[in-house]
Amino acid sequence: MCGLLIKEGDEKDLVRLKVKDSKLLTKGTREYLFDKIKGVAQKYKIITVEPAEIDKAVHNHDGLNLNRLEARKSAEILNELNPNKSIIDAPSNNIKSYKKYLLKYVNNKQIEIVLEHKADVNYPVVSAASILAKVTRDNEIEKIKNKIGIDFGSGYMADPKTVEFLKNNFEKYPELFRKSWFPYKELLNQKFQKGLSEFTQFLKEEQKHKSHTLEDLKKLEDFGFHFEKPKSVHELAIMKGPCTVILYKNGKLLIQGKEEAKKVVEKFLSI
């Protein structure tokens, strides 16, 4: 977020620079205007809001939501720049309520505050501030790319590079993403659903295999089988007869020997 302080008479210089809402300008044009705008400004203040802070606001930490977080950040900017008049691009539909909340955090209650939707389109000074914010944001993205050594594009989901990076790296670089961001949440949900599906399938497979007990094996004594000492810590019992039957501590059976004898034992034990 950015606040830009200018003398009212200097607004014509911003008009001369043909500033526009940053979203309506190319990357090259924004970068060209960046220093030009700072040259017109008396002062400016740029605030970077990290993903974790946004997530807390989305989850109502400290009574926040996204609009209230933006209002507090706007107040922080106003408190430093302390203008006579401020024009703010309002995120809320309820302008009256938003202004009341904003003023709670503004030190100078005498500031004339104008709140409008699309102020970044309608007022050159707000357009200029949006350009400084956007260029700063893009520079932060470049820093992340250089740090991790991956070009993931613009960082917006309209960019196929960003989409692919998110799919492949949302677990590897979780600190880069807002956990409340819908595309991130959707991938987590897909992972959960896949895990749930695999676990359900596992349970179904397990249900196919009856857990057996020593009592089951004792029935084989009537058919000439006898117990032998287990050979590993995982084995509960071993029975020898026409074939070998091993009962493991987890209730699973292993039957070894001639196929005909194995089939008889399997049928007898309902395997």
Side-chain angles (χ1 to χ4, degrees):
M1 290 178 63
C2 177
L4 188 73
L5 182 67
I6 64 167
K7 292 179 181 178
E8 200 161 0
D10 290 340
E11 189 171 50
K12 63 182 183 301
D13 294 327
L14 295 178
V15 174
R16 194 178 299 117
L17 287 172
K18 297 181 180 179
V19 298
K20 293 181 182 178
D21 171 17
S22 61
K23 297 186 289 296
L24 304 176
L25 298 172
T26 64
K27 183 174 185 290
T29 301
R30 290 193 299 264
E31 290 174 349
Y32 167 77
L33 289 171
F34 189 79
D35 287 329
K36 302 283 186 185
I37 291 167
K38 289 198 291 184
V40 174
Q42 282 190 296
K43 288 174 68 177
Y44 64 91
K45 173 71 174 176
I46 297 173
I47 291 177
T48 301
V49 187
E50 298 294 338
E53 192 171 3
I54 295 173
D55 287 334
K56 284 183 178 180
V58 171
H59 294 114
N60 303 121
H61 174 78
D62 194 24
L64 288 169
N65 56 36
L66 281 180
N67 285 348
R68 288 182 170 186
L69 176 64
E70 189 165 330
R72 290 195 193 184
K73 296 298 178 181
S74 295
E76 186 179 330
I77 291 170
L78 290 175
N79 290 338
E80 180 159 330
L81 299 182
N82 195 29
N84 297 319
K85 178 180 179 181
S86 177
I87 303 168
I88 301 174
D89 186 25
S92 172
N93 291 322
N94 190 335
I95 298 292
K96 185 177 179 182
S97 174
Y98 185 81
K99 186 174 183 178
K100 182 179 178 181
Y101 185 84
L102 170 67
L103 283 170
K104 284 168 57 179
Y105 297 93
V106 175
N107 296 334
N108 181 2
K109 308 299 182 184
Q110 304 307 311
I111 296 175
E112 179 188 348
I113 294 178
V114 177
L115 283 160
E116 280 191 24
H117 293 301
K118 299 190 180 298
D120 50 355
V121 175
N122 300 326
Y123 295 90
V125 66
V126 186
S127 298
S130 78
I131 292 168
L132 295 193
K134 182 71 168 70
V135 172
T136 302
R137 180 259 179 207
D138 289 346
N139 289 341
E140 290 298 313
I141 289 293
E142 291 304 315
K143 287 179 189 176
I144 295 170
K145 291 182 196 177
N146 293 332
K147 182 179 178 180
I148 67 175
I150 301 174
D151 179 5
F152 53 78
S154 66
Y156 296 116
M157 289 302 283
D159 186 338
K161 268 189 178 181
T162 301
V163 173
E164 196 62 25
F165 174 76
L166 176 62
K167 284 181 181 176
N168 297 330
N169 294 280
F170 75 101
E171 292 178 292
K172 188 175 181 181
Y173 301 107
E175 72 282 1
L176 298 183
F177 305 105
R178 283 183 280 122
K179 308 304 182 292
S180 54
W181 191 35
F182 177 77
Y184 181 88
K185 288 168 67 178
E186 186 66 15
L187 281 172
L188 282 185
N189 183 55
Q190 288 173 15
K191 182 188 176 187
F192 172 75
Q193 292 298 336
K194 182 182 177 184
L196 185 61
S197 174
E198 289 175 349
F199 182 65
T200 302
Q201 186 60 35
F202 168 77
L203 289 179
K204 286 180 180 177
E205 290 297 323
E206 283 294 290
Q207 288 168 1
K208 292 179 183 177
H209 305 289
K210 179 183 175 184
S211 290
H212 294 276
T213 66
L214 282 172
E215 294 302 314
D216 295 326
L217 263 64
K218 284 180 180 178
K219 298 173 186 174
L220 292 172
E221 290 179 316
D222 295 336
F223 299 91
F225 283 81
H226 62 276
F227 281 100
E228 290 197 356
K229 185 179 179 181
K231 296 177 181 177
S232 86
V233 295
H234 301 294
E235 296 170 353
L236 182 62
I238 297 177
M239 293 203 80
K240 286 284 183 98
C243 62
T244 301
V245 181
I246 303 172
L247 173 63
Y248 291 93
K249 290 179 179 178
N250 63 3
K252 298 296 179 287
L253 284 177
L254 174 65
I255 303 173
Q256 299 172 321
K258 293 183 179 180
E259 201 62 33
E260 185 177 343
K262 283 170 62 178
K263 286 182 178 178
V264 171
V265 173
E266 286 173 359
K267 187 174 181 180
F268 178 74
L269 295 175
S270 302
I271 296 175

